Amino acid sequence: MNKNELLEYIDNNSTAITIFKDKVRTEQEAKNKKRQPAKRWNEAKIERNVDKFTDDFISNVYDKIYKEMKANRNTPSQEWINFLETNEILDDLEESVSMMEIGED
């Protein structure tokens, strides 16, 4: 399973990605309102930034799971899915993202 397949699997079987994107988007929009009017970002730039944060987030999740299950390039997708289900990774991820605070303090 590669990073994009993991993203698709998480997105299809959990609300973690949706919650994460919503939190990042809310934070980015709040930051944008604080910018001078001439320097404000348009919606497309905000969405690109949300996508970048999401990509970084999935990369971190992928790397942690990869190391935890001692995977390699040839590890079949079903083995990944079994690992995710057996260890309740999606439930834990969803709970963690729900509790996550994104933004400036």
Side-chain angles (χ1 to χ4, degrees):
M1 184 175 279
N2 64 34
K3 188 178 73 170
N4 290 332
E5 291 168 335
L6 179 63
L7 172 61
E8 185 178 327
Y9 180 81
I10 293 171
D11 206 21
N12 290 335
N13 295 286
S14 168
T15 60
I17 300 299
T18 303
I19 294 168
F20 182 81
K21 283 185 170 189
D22 288 345
K23 286 184 176 228
V24 171
R25 188 175 295 108
T26 299
E27 189 267 340
Q28 290 298 308
E29 288 170 350
K31 281 175 103 175
N32 200 37
K33 286 181 182 173
K34 293 178 183 176
R35 291 185 179 100
Q36 294 297 320
K39 303 230 182 222
R40 288 194 182 136
W41 294 355
N42 61 27
E43 276 302 309
K45 186 161 184 172
I46 290 173
E47 285 305 310
R48 282 193 302 273
N49 217 28
V50 169
D51 290 343
K52 179 194 172 300
F53 275 95
T54 303
D55 188 54
D56 291 346
F57 173 70
I58 287 298
S59 291
N60 288 333
V61 170
Y62 180 84
D63 290 344
K64 287 180 181 176
I65 294 170
Y66 186 91
K67 288 176 188 167
E68 185 71 27
M69 66 180 283
K70 298 174 177 63
N72 63 41
R73 288 182 296 164
N74 302 318
T75 304
S77 293
Q78 190 57 49
E79 200 170 313
W80 279 77
I81 292 168
N82 292 344
F83 182 84
L84 294 170
E85 290 174 354
T86 302
N87 294 288
E88 299 178 351
I89 302 292
L90 296 185
D91 292 339
D92 292 345
L93 185 63
E94 196 168 306
E95 184 179 336
S96 295
V97 169
S98 294
M99 296 172 65
M100 186 183 289
E101 289 188 30
I102 298 174
E104 302 168 16
D105 290 334

